[in-house]
Amino acid sequence: MTDVSPHEVDIREDPESDTQGTLSRRTAPRAPAHPQTEEAEPEPAIWVEQGVRPSAPWWVWVITPLLVVLPALGAFLYSAGQPEVFGARTEVLYNPPSTYSRQSVEGMMNTQIARIESKEMLGPIAAAYEFDLTELGEDLEVEQVGDSTVLRLTLANEDEQLAAQVVEHIGGRYSVLVNDRGELAQERDYLRGQIAPLETRYNELQTQYASAVARERLAAQAALSTEMAEVRNQITDLRGRLTDVELNQMTNQASARIVSHATVLDDPLSPKPLRAVAAGLLAGLFLAVAFVLAMKYLGVIGAAVTPAGREATRWPRT
């Protein structure tokens, strides 16, 4: 007899069957499966990321910004308390001899600047206005305008009208001296006066160099050789300019005239509060950085692990 599962057979009498109690096979329905319970999604885990932040006493955070602000404030107050210095400017056109080459003109312009700033030029003016000669030379700025032959004279003084008067006087005196028939002779004498001490110095260097060679002092030889080359170049340049002057002394005459009379500049030359504040800020930043580094070196400023205050969501892996 075949084994039958109780769920798959049912024993009953079949009225139409000749045999009573015949087993009738039928498939019994399976018991319904238990419904699967879906797992609930896990709650996200909230975590706080930690970071490292410097830890320091409260007074460090007070002193550090003060080190930046106070120098800037002090520089501003100091600059604002200084008297205003005005500037007056005039421009003089210098006409070199027509036979001068371009290179000779460039060298002559440097000569003209040196002449204006010389004691021979400024001495009588300083005496006339009762100025100190050294201070007058420091307050006067002479420059060449671009590649032209125009010389720009700027004088600084607390009295703007006096500055304009003096700088006009300097420009006028220079023009008179240049237009003098003996201007080339004066320039010739000036160049000769520049060459003479250089030649004396060159001879001294040659003597010292020979002594260094005899004593086999290599370091001294190198230094003397470099200085000799510099002096020799200066002498060569001055001699070239002197040759040009001597060639044009009798036939060609330079001239000069004021092309822009003295005017007072719109803005004072000093003080400059904004520049002072910028310099103060730079100095303050340097002091603040140095202070922080010193505190860190002394152990006043340390590192502490503290919550950084940033949250993130972390989902578990499936």
Side-chain angles (χ1 to χ4, degrees):
M1 183 175 180
T2 305
D3 294 335
V4 180
S5 173
H7 297 288
E8 297 180 353
V9 297
D10 184 17
I11 301 176
R12 65 178 181 178
E13 293 183 355
D14 188 355
E16 298 180 357
S17 176
D18 295 338
T19 305
Q20 295 183 356
T22 303
L23 295 177
S24 176
R25 181 184 298 270
R26 65 186 179 89
T27 302
R30 291 179 177 272
H34 295 287
Q36 295 182 354
T37 304
E38 295 182 359
E39 295 182 359
E41 294 183 356
E43 294 293 333
I46 305 299
W47 58 285
V48 177
E49 184 176 331
Q50 291 185 336
V52 178
R53 293 191 302 181
S55 175
W58 63 269
W59 51 268
V60 173
W61 304 108
V62 174
I63 294 177
T64 302
L66 288 178
L67 289 176
V68 178
V69 175
L70 290 180
L73 180 60
F76 174 79
L77 294 177
Y78 175 80
S79 177
Q82 297 300 309
E84 287 187 325
V85 177
F86 300 93
R89 177 173 295 168
T90 187
E91 293 181 349
V92 180
L93 174 63
Y94 175 78
N95 295 314
S98 58
T99 57
Y100 270 43
S101 64
R102 181 62 183 174
Q103 294 180 348
S104 299
V105 171
E106 292 178 356
M108 181 170 285
M109 294 304 296
N110 294 329
T111 302
Q112 301 310 308
I113 293 175
R115 287 186 60 185
I116 295 176
E117 295 176 342
S118 65
K119 295 181 180 180
E120 291 76 13
M121 174 69 67
L122 299 180
I125 297 177
Y129 291 93
E130 298 181 353
F131 285 166
D132 181 82
L133 180 58
T134 303
E135 293 181 358
L136 179 60
E138 294 175 352
D139 294 338
L140 178 65
E141 179 184 2
V142 184
E143 58 182 343
Q144 181 181 358
V145 180
D147 295 332
S148 67
T149 58
V150 175
L151 296 172
R152 177 178 294 160
L153 287 67
T154 305
L155 183 66
N157 195 279
E158 296 181 10
D159 188 338
E160 56 184 5
Q161 298 301 326
L162 180 60
Q165 183 179 354
V166 174
V167 77
E168 181 82 9
H169 192 170
I170 295 174
R173 174 174 168 77
Y174 167 74
S175 300
V176 170
L177 293 178
V178 171
N179 294 327
D180 186 6
R181 293 185 61 87
E183 189 271 337
L184 286 176
Q186 294 177 5
E187 185 172 358
R188 178 200 60 194
D189 295 339
Y190 172 79
L191 292 173
R192 288 177 177 176
Q194 294 292 315
I195 293 173
L198 289 175
E199 290 180 337
T200 302
R201 177 58 181 165
Y202 186 77
N203 294 332
E204 293 176 354
L205 291 173
Q206 283 184 319
T207 303
Q208 296 176 10
Y209 183 80
S211 176
V213 171
R215 298 181 181 182
E216 298 182 353
R217 295 180 178 178
L218 298 180
Q221 293 178 35
L224 291 170
S225 178
T226 301
E227 187 175 356
M228 287 172 60
E230 294 177 355
V231 175
R232 184 169 56 249
N233 291 336
Q234 294 179 17
I235 294 175
T236 301
D237 179 65
L238 291 173
R239 282 179 175 173
R241 289 157 58 184
L242 178 60
T243 300
D244 290 337
V245 170
E246 291 175 343
L247 290 175
N248 294 278
Q249 185 174 4
M250 299 304 298
T251 58
N252 297 285
Q253 183 69 40
S255 63
R257 61 185 178 88
I258 295 178
V259 294
S260 177
H261 291 279
T263 56
V264 178
L265 301 180
D266 295 334
D267 298 326
L269 298 178
S270 64
K272 301 288 186 181
L274 293 181
R275 292 184 181 179
V277 170
L281 285 175
L282 290 177
L285 288 174
F286 176 79
L287 291 175
V289 171
F291 174 73
V292 171
L293 292 177
M295 293 299 99
K296 186 175 181 180
Y297 176 78
L298 296 175
V300 177
I301 298 178
V305 179
T306 57
R310 181 160 58 94
E311 294 186 353
T313 302
R314 182 179 60 190
W315 296 89
R317 297 180 179 178
T318 57

